[in-house]
Structure formats: C-alpha cells, structure tokens
Amino acid sequence: MINNQTVVKEFILMGFPVGPDMRMFLLGLFSLLYAFTLMGNGVILGLISLEARLHTPMYFFLSHLAIVDISYACNTVPQMLANLLDPVKPISYPGCLTQTFLFLTFALTECLLLVVMSYDRYVAICHPLRYTVIMNWRMCISLALTSWALGFLLALAHLILLLPLPFCGPQKINHFFCEILAILKLACADTHINEILVLAGAASVLVGPLSSIVISYMRILCAVLRIQSREGRQKAFSTCSSHLCVVGLFYGTAIIMYIGPKHGNPKEQKKYLLLFHSLFNPMLNPLIYSLRNHEVNGALKRVLGKGRPF
C-alpha cells in the first residue's frame, strides 16, 4: 500500500470557498489593501530615512517593523491573489515550504521587535537621564539583529522538523497560504511531535514576550502618572498608546490562533484570523503610528513642504 502511494510534489491552496463573482470582489479588495500596505510602510521607511529628527532608537526599531510588515504581505498576499484568479493553480513543494519558513521568520521577528520597542519606551520614560547611554546605537543594532537572528533560527528549527515528513496525498491545503499546521495535516506520517513543538513554541514565544511587555508598561504607567507636566504626560501616552495598539493587534490574533480555546469551526476561524494577521495588521501598523504620532505627522509635512515648487 505504501509502495502504491505517490509522493506529492505540489500543493493546491483551497483559499476561500466562494463563487466566481465573490472571488473577483475579493481580488480587487485584497489588491487594494495590499497596495495600501506597501505604500503605508514605504512612506514610514522613507520618512525615517529622510528626516533627521526621526533618527532615534524608537524610529530605528519602527523602520525594522515596517520592513517586517512589507515582507509579511509580500510573502502571502501575491500567492493568495494568484489563487483567486486561478483556484486550481498549484504551488510547488519547495515553494510551499519556503513560504512557511518565511512566514514563521517574519512572525517571530515581529514578536521580538515589539518586545524591544517596549523596552525602548520603558528606558525612555522610566530612565530618561540614562536613555542615550543605555540605548546607544551599538545596543540598538544588537537588539535588532538579535530579533532577526532568533526569528530566523526558530523558523529554521521548525523547517528542519518539517522536511523529513513524507507527503503522499491529498494535496489540497485548506488555507490561503502554506501555514505550518495546515501542512502537517497532509503528512502521511505521525506528526504529533511536530504539532506539540509548534504549539509549545507558540506558547513560549507569545506568552513570554507578552509578559515582559505587560511588566514594562505597568512600570511605564507608574512613571507617567508621576510626571508633573500635563504636556509631558500626553506625549508619553501618545507614543506608548500607538505601540500598545500594535501589540494588542499582533498578540491578540496570534494567541487566539495558536493558544486560545477551540470552538465552532476552528479551521475557518483560524484562516480568517490569519488573513487579518497577514494583510490587515501590516496595513494598520503605519496608520496607527502616523495618526497618533505628532513627530511622524510633522516629518511628513516637512518632507511634502520641501517637495513643493516655489
């Protein structure tokens, strides 16, 4: 029976079970959101590189977050759009595993970058006199590189465990991209160890960093409440609230997907949560930081003002 099985060399992403008219509507909608994601994060990167006043640790980490968000969207959305045009268009086995590896790398890196950004805000508000000493450029570069390196290595560990598994059919993945748990369901071998490691890794990577962020912001809140100046409190709340909104969106959807209770139709719920996580989160992040950040708005006005003809 094993000898008669055919090794799968490509997969078909089932995507969203909708009719042709709805597929065209979703194609237009997701293409528009994808364009907004690239444009919004591109504007953030451009402003940070062009405006000298934004050459600070906070915006250095924000630029890395924008790079992660662009990479997130570019990894999953083009394949999703291609499948809306042609639902039976396959993705190769190496291409599918590459997409899985990149998604995990960017997700883990963003998780760690959010922790680094919360530490930066903690030092800035709780230890303002020592901020430039603690958050020097060597420290900032080291923290950013560590986030990328750990994200890469943890994703590589999952990929190494995934590579030996045989896939002999069916070849249809009930998802809009090659999500690791959806792929594991198609393996014709025991995948309990892989699934346990994925869930354990998700729990440790999400719960640990989130706990450190919560502790940091509890201390930040105490420090902000001690600020005598009303203007100083408003500025601190403004920068911290933007980061907290991004943290809430990222960790909220991630915890529900991998750690939260299962009820209803978990496969379909996870699919739509991951859609929000992969497309809407990267689009909303630059909006959150720009709309609630006076320095970003001011930098945008100055850059646009320089470009106007006299």
Side-chain angles (χ1 to χ4, degrees):
M1 182 174 177
I2 294 176
N3 293 332
N4 291 333
Q5 291 177 333
T6 303
V7 176
V8 172
K9 296 183 179 179
E10 58 185 21
F11 297 100
I12 295 176
L13 296 168
M14 296 176 66
F16 305 99
V18 295
D21 293 338
M22 182 57 71
R23 280 206 308 271
M24 291 300 102
F25 171 77
L26 291 178
L27 177 66
L29 176 62
F30 293 159
S31 298
L32 187 63
L33 295 178
Y34 181 49
F36 281 142
T37 298
L38 299 182
M39 183 176 66
N41 286 285
V43 168
I44 291 290
L45 285 173
L47 287 176
I48 293 172
S49 62
L50 293 174
E51 184 59 40
R53 299 184 191 184
L54 300 184
H55 293 174
T56 63
M58 174 182 170
Y59 295 104
F60 172 74
F61 296 127
L62 180 57
S63 67
H64 281 268
L65 184 65
I67 292 171
V68 170
D69 285 338
I70 290 174
S71 304
Y72 240 139
C74 291
N75 182 47
T76 56
V77 178
Q79 182 67 45
M80 179 175 63
L81 297 178
N83 280 106
L84 286 171
L85 280 173
D86 185 3
V88 295
K89 182 180 180 181
I91 180 173
S92 67
Y93 174 77
C96 191
L97 293 191
T98 300
Q99 191 180 55
T100 302
F101 168 72
L102 291 176
F103 177 83
L104 291 173
T105 299
F106 300 139
L108 293 166
T109 301
E110 181 166 356
C111 179
L112 297 171
L113 280 175
L114 291 175
V115 177
V116 170
M117 292 174 74
S118 70
Y119 175 71
D120 171 73
R121 291 299 84 205
Y122 163 74
V123 176
I125 294 174
C126 297
H127 304 283
L129 299 178
R130 299 175 56 199
Y131 180 71
T132 55
V133 176
I134 298 174
M135 298 303 295
N136 57 68
W137 283 111
R138 179 178 294 180
M139 172 64 75
C140 293
I141 293 171
S142 298
L143 289 173
L145 289 178
T146 300
S147 300
W148 282 99
L150 287 176
F152 174 84
L153 292 174
L154 291 171
L156 183 62
H158 286 296
L159 180 64
I160 291 173
L161 291 172
L162 188 62
L163 283 173
L165 295 177
F167 295 89
C168 44
Q171 63 180 141
K172 292 183 178 181
I173 299 176
N174 185 21
H175 224 294
F176 63 89
F177 80 106
C178 294
E179 195 264 338
I180 186 168
L181 291 178
I183 295 175
L184 289 175
K185 294 183 184 301
L186 302 184
C188 47
D190 187 9
T191 61
H192 282 91
I193 293 178
N194 300 75
E195 293 175 3
I196 290 172
L197 289 176
V198 169
L199 296 176
S204 60
V205 170
L206 291 173
V207 174
L210 182 59
S211 300
S212 66
I213 291 174
V214 170
I215 293 171
S216 296
Y217 272 96
M218 288 175 63
R219 294 182 177 179
I220 288 171
L221 179 62
C222 294
V224 169
L225 293 176
R226 289 197 297 267
I227 297 176
Q228 300 297 324
S229 167
R230 181 179 178 182
E231 183 180 350
R233 286 199 301 269
Q234 288 179 342
K235 184 177 180 181
F237 274 123
S238 176
T239 56
C240 292
S241 61
S242 299
H243 183 244
L244 279 175
C245 288
V246 174
V247 168
L249 287 172
F250 179 86
Y251 281 95
T253 54
I255 288 174
I256 293 172
M257 282 188 299
Y258 291 103
I259 304 176
K262 305 294 187 296
H263 54 83
N265 190 347
K267 291 183 180 179
E268 293 301 315
Q269 291 172 0
K270 182 181 291 187
K271 186 188 299 183
Y272 292 109
L273 279 171
L274 272 172
L275 175 65
F276 183 88
H277 197 71
S278 304
L279 183 58
F280 289 91
N281 266 10
M283 183 191 69
L284 291 174
N285 286 353
L287 290 176
I288 291 171
Y289 279 108
S290 61
L291 291 176
R292 297 187 59 83
N293 193 302
H294 298 296
E295 291 178 339
V296 173
N297 289 328
L300 181 60
K301 292 176 182 178
R302 287 190 293 271
V303 170
L304 292 177
K306 291 177 184 178
R308 291 176 182 172
F310 293 101

